[in-house]
Amino acid sequence: MSEVILKGIPAAPGIAIGPAHVFGHEDLSVESHPITEGQVPLEISRFEDALIQTRQEIIALQKKIAQEMGVEHGEVFDAHLLVLEDRTLIEEVISRVKKDRLAVDFIFNEVLQHYASVFARIEDEYLKERISDINDVGRRILRNLLGRKRTVLADLDYQAVIVAHDLSPSDTASMHKNRVMAFVTDIGGKTSHTAIMAKSLEIPAVVGLESGTAQIKNGDPLIVDGSSGFVIVAPDPETLKRYEIQEEKIRGISQVLTTLKDLPAETRDGTRVVISANIEFPDEVASVLQHGADGVGLYRTEYFYMNRKDLPTEDEQYAAYKQLADSFKERHVIIRTLDLGGDKFVSSFQFPKEMSPFMGWRAIRFCLARPDIFKMQLRALLRASVHGNLKIMFPMISGIDEMRQAKALVEESKGELQRKNIPFNTQIEVGAMIEVPSAALTSDVLAKESAFFSIGTNDLIQYALAVDRTNEKIAYLYEPTHPGVLRLVKDVIEAGHRAGIRVGMCGEMVSEPEIALLLLGMGLDEFSMPSVSILEIKNVIRSVTRDQVRGIAEEALTLTTGLQVDDFLKRKLREILPDIYGQQP
Ligand code: PEP
Ligand code: MG
């Protein structure tokens, strides 16, 4: 077998070399078996036993995940438990067993397939989420009816690279970090749940590989490069050698980098910047501190609203924000208010179907239309602000009117607390995310009424270049170094500084080491990124002088294509840190 190179979307950094474990192709086909009338009660009780057994399995898994990874991760399974209580489904199975006189496994499978096909025809994000819940639970029930043991990732008893079409939240959540060396999936994007989990578990991952499961067989030797998105099947001895060297090098580098944990993110000539973490779950605190972050530059609160059937109450949110404030003490935690819509949907709120959800009713637009939901979050946040250094940030601000309306609701929420004598930090900073081109172009106006900016380039790039950030077919056009994007970023930093406010960035591009050089040269104040990237970027910052990066930024801004800028920055990075970036496989 000769070497095959596949290219997907890099989802979590790192290199893994190991055998493939193709996951998820289990044969649960069932034959139809006639039964006698006397056997009907037996079949029904087999079905009921399978439901009870499945329920116990799910509760045990939920408990295990909640203990190991935090309660929020376990809440995924609440939706699964709800499927088990679906009376329509259960009654349809029982009545068909009685009517058709066929064994229950066959009937159940038919009813399940019918349900899934009905849901699949409806184009609705919420219902799509429900299909994977129904399939997940359905397969569990079927396995129990057939007396089969499930091949769960938690049972994997050797070290392997998981290859799957897709991984459900329960699959990723039950992964054993010591045995799952990496994972690759056919579908998914950089911002999918799977990619987020991979980053927080620190397992290398490549998603959107399209034909991975078709081309990779169980046991095939694999190399996964989660930083570049390459997956190499049956690598040649030379390729293997190059990656083994690279893997060893990465291991050595990360050991050296841990020595930077308690050192400041400061250039060789003493310019200090802030390096902070992006988090999705409050229980990421330990990892954030372990990677030496100065604080949290972006807490994406919408994950708090996901995988649950109701909206979180004010008290629940208060408890989560307080926990963060307590853990980080004087270090800052920027809490981004709800950013639902676009590609982020929740079960507890039915969003209308839209032609262009990324340009539709999302984020601050949704919050301003639903002040009841928005103010519940704002009050929780204000209440928690007395326990630490919390700041409020609004997503998707497109102009000063929205900023003023959102701030007015903060004032209203403050008034409500004041009337009840509930304390809050009256001086709490309120900032804007700059992720819409119109906000970048009017950043001088916004700066006068914002305590700080954080540039959200994940969205800014897609809107500036008209490139859907989740579409792998046009991923080649999604260029962080496009001169159009760089000019917007530069304008925002300058407008912020003219008004005397801090400008940070929390989009993914800030964690690319070569781009960090450019941003440092442009004068960016805060670099906020997934915890795994913090030490690497701190090292880049500590290796340069201010004049050096200013020169790099000036030259980069004279170049006319994204590719030229990218090549130029990578060359500079290799010159500055040849030991680390000198040779790539
Ligand atoms: C961004 O758009 O850059 C950002 C950080 O927010 P999100 O990825 O959650 O949209
Ligand atoms: Mg965004």
Side-chain angles (χ1 to χ4, degrees):
M1 182 182 185
S2 57
E3 177 176 290
V4 178
I5 301 177
L6 306 174
K7 175 83 171 77
I9 299 167
I15 288 174
I17 302 173
H21 177 91
V22 183
F23 174 72
H25 283 291
E26 98 192 289
D27 183 12
L28 286 178
S29 54
V30 272
E31 304 276 304
S32 114
H33 285 297
I35 53 166
T36 63
E37 191 176 356
Q39 285 172 314
V40 166
L42 185 71
E43 284 302 284
I44 293 173
S45 85
R46 253 187 359 104
F47 181 48
E48 284 166 350
D49 287 349
L51 290 178
I52 293 168
Q53 196 182 343
T54 307
R55 189 179 173 77
Q56 286 164 347
E57 273 172 23
I58 295 175
I59 290 174
L61 187 58
Q62 186 173 39
K63 238 189 224 156
K64 177 171 168 273
I65 304 299
Q67 270 163 9
E68 286 176 11
M69 301 181 62
V71 179
E72 291 81 10
H73 294 263
E75 277 168 5
V76 174
F77 300 103
D78 286 343
H80 292 196
L81 290 170
L82 276 186
V83 176
L84 278 177
E85 283 160 19
D86 189 326
R87 288 315 308 171
T88 331
L89 186 136
I90 295 171
E91 272 154 27
E92 188 173 340
V93 173
I94 294 177
S95 77
R96 280 203 43 200
V97 170
K98 287 180 187 161
K99 188 161 72 55
D100 299 354
R101 300 262 180 82
L102 292 172
V104 70
D105 20 12
F106 179 77
I107 300 276
F108 174 71
N109 198 27
E110 277 212 337
V111 173
L112 188 72
Q113 301 302 332
H114 175 68
Y115 256 62
S117 70
V118 169
F119 277 89
R121 280 199 296 273
I122 307 169
E123 279 196 24
D124 180 302
E125 286 302 325
Y126 168 73
L127 291 175
K128 276 202 189 117
E129 246 180 64
R130 297 268 301 156
I131 296 183
S132 66
D133 291 339
I134 292 173
N135 281 332
D136 215 57
V137 181
R139 293 175 78 81
R140 276 179 197 279
I141 298 172
L142 205 53
R143 245 178 251 121
N144 288 330
L145 277 171
L146 297 170
R148 300 249 183 92
K149 203 172 148 13
R150 188 182 185 218
T151 46
V152 280
L153 287 174
D155 291 344
L156 190 74
D157 54 7
Y158 65 103
Q159 284 204 314
V161 172
I162 304 301
V163 179
H165 179 65
D166 190 16
L167 288 169
S168 71
S170 60
D171 294 329
T172 16
S174 61
M175 273 184 185
H176 205 296
K177 203 178 150 180
N178 296 334
R179 307 214 181 89
V180 177
M181 305 170 81
F183 65 78
V184 301
T185 60
D186 292 343
I187 63 168
K190 248 186 198 305
T191 58
S192 62
H193 184 96
T194 332
I196 288 161
M197 283 291 231
K199 272 193 189 151
S200 67
L201 289 166
E202 297 180 31
I203 295 176
V206 174
V207 297
L209 206 57
E210 295 185 5
S211 60
T213 51
Q215 303 208 43
I216 302 169
K217 289 188 301 304
N218 247 342
D220 277 352
L222 291 186
I223 297 174
V224 178
D225 184 346
S227 309
S228 66
F230 283 112
V231 175
I232 301 160
V233 192
D236 292 339
E238 307 86 76
T239 312
L240 192 61
K241 190 86 213 142
R242 266 188 290 128
Y243 273 96
E244 276 168 357
I245 294 169
Q246 178 71 1
E247 194 190 18
E248 194 54 47
K249 194 169 130 185
I250 293 178
R251 204 171 299 132
I253 293 168
S254 70
Q255 257 164 20
V256 173
L257 292 183
T258 52
T259 60
L260 304 180
K261 179 179 160 286
D262 297 317
L263 297 176
E266 167 176 284
T267 59
R268 278 170 35 211
D269 52 345
T271 302
R272 174 88 204 252
V273 293
V274 173
I275 196 154
S276 48
N278 291 352
I279 62 169
E280 275 73 40
F281 307 103
D283 56 15
E284 282 177 72
V285 172
S287 160
V288 172
L289 294 174
Q290 195 188 323
H291 286 92
D294 292 323
V296 172
L298 169 68
Y299 169 31
R300 292 181 163 101
T301 54
E302 48 284 356
Y303 284 89
F304 201 66
Y305 290 67
M306 283 181 185
N307 295 320
R308 52 186 296 154
K309 48 186 186 302
D310 50 0
L311 288 166
T313 63
E314 181 180 321
D315 282 346
E316 258 179 272
Q317 294 188 65
Y318 164 71
Y321 305 151
K322 176 180 179 303
Q323 184 204 327
L324 279 175
D326 282 338
S327 316
F328 285 98
K329 303 193 177 71
E330 69 287 346
R331 298 184 207 213
H332 70 288
V333 179
I334 299 180
I335 302 195
R336 173 177 76 186
T337 57
L338 199 49
D339 185 10
L340 289 180
D343 60 342
K344 302 185 194 102
F345 296 93
V346 291
S347 319
S348 49
F349 192 88
Q350 182 75 63
F351 273 82
K353 173 127 190 61
E354 295 179 309
M355 289 290 282
S356 312
F358 272 121
M359 291 203 265
W361 199 47
R362 62 170 292 204
I364 198 69
R365 302 164 183 187
F366 165 77
C367 285
L368 292 176
R370 289 299 305 261
D372 51 332
I373 297 177
F374 190 34
K375 285 204 296 178
M376 193 143 67
Q377 179 175 40
L378 292 173
R379 285 192 303 268
L381 237 154
L382 287 165
R383 282 168 57 194
S385 66
V386 291
H387 299 284
N389 184 6
L390 300 187
K391 300 175 197 294
I392 300 175
M393 176 163 81
F394 302 131
M396 282 287 289
I397 291 288
S398 63
I400 192 68
D401 280 340
E402 272 171 341
M403 189 67 193
R404 285 182 184 148
Q405 286 170 44
K407 282 177 76 175
L409 289 172
V410 174
E411 290 309 309
E412 248 181 70
S413 310
K414 284 182 179 174
E416 286 163 16
L417 294 178
Q418 238 151 14
R419 282 191 288 284
K420 290 185 184 159
N421 285 325
I422 300 174
F424 59 87
N425 172 12
T426 54
Q427 304 301 314
I428 190 162
E429 287 187 7
V430 180
M433 256 184 108
I434 305 293
E435 50 183 346
V436 178
S438 57
L441 293 165
T442 55
S443 48
D444 54 332
V445 181
L446 281 164
K448 295 197 179 99
E449 300 185 34
S450 309
F452 60 90
F453 284 158
S454 183
I455 311 176
T457 46
N458 299 346
D459 277 315
L460 185 62
I461 297 168
Q462 77 162 345
Y463 296 128
L465 304 181
V467 177
D468 180 339
R469 69 191 249 192
T470 62
N471 186 338
E472 66 274 5
K473 299 224 165 26
I474 46 169
Y476 70 100
L477 287 173
Y478 188 89
E479 285 184 304
T481 50
H482 189 293
V485 174
L486 300 184
R487 288 180 197 188
L488 287 173
V489 168
K490 178 174 175 275
D491 285 356
V492 175
I493 297 175
E494 288 178 358
H497 288 175
R498 276 197 304 276
I501 64 168
R502 285 184 329 283
V503 182
M505 182 180 284
C506 55
E508 293 292 318
M509 76 186 244
V510 78
S511 59
E512 303 291 343
E514 67 280 6
I515 300 183
L517 284 179
L518 169 70
L519 296 169
L520 190 64
M522 285 180 170
L524 191 76
D525 304 300
E526 175 165 357
F527 294 63
S528 189
M529 63 199 72
S531 297
V532 276
S533 304
I534 288 177
L535 291 171
E536 181 182 18
I537 300 303
K538 202 186 257 193
N539 186 44
V540 170
I541 294 168
R542 292 180 59 83
S543 307
V544 293
T545 64
R546 192 151 186 197
D547 282 348
Q548 190 181 12
V549 285
R550 272 195 185 142
I552 291 175
E554 259 168 42
E555 196 170 338
L557 287 163
T558 64
L559 302 172
T560 51
T561 73
L563 199 61
Q564 281 173 5
V565 177
D566 198 48
D567 284 347
F568 167 73
L569 294 175
K570 287 195 170 122
R571 179 158 55 80
K572 287 289 164 196
L573 184 67
R574 280 196 298 273
E575 283 167 19
I576 294 166
L577 288 162
D579 289 348
I580 300 183
Y581 303 103
Q583 274 181 343
Q584 305 280 349

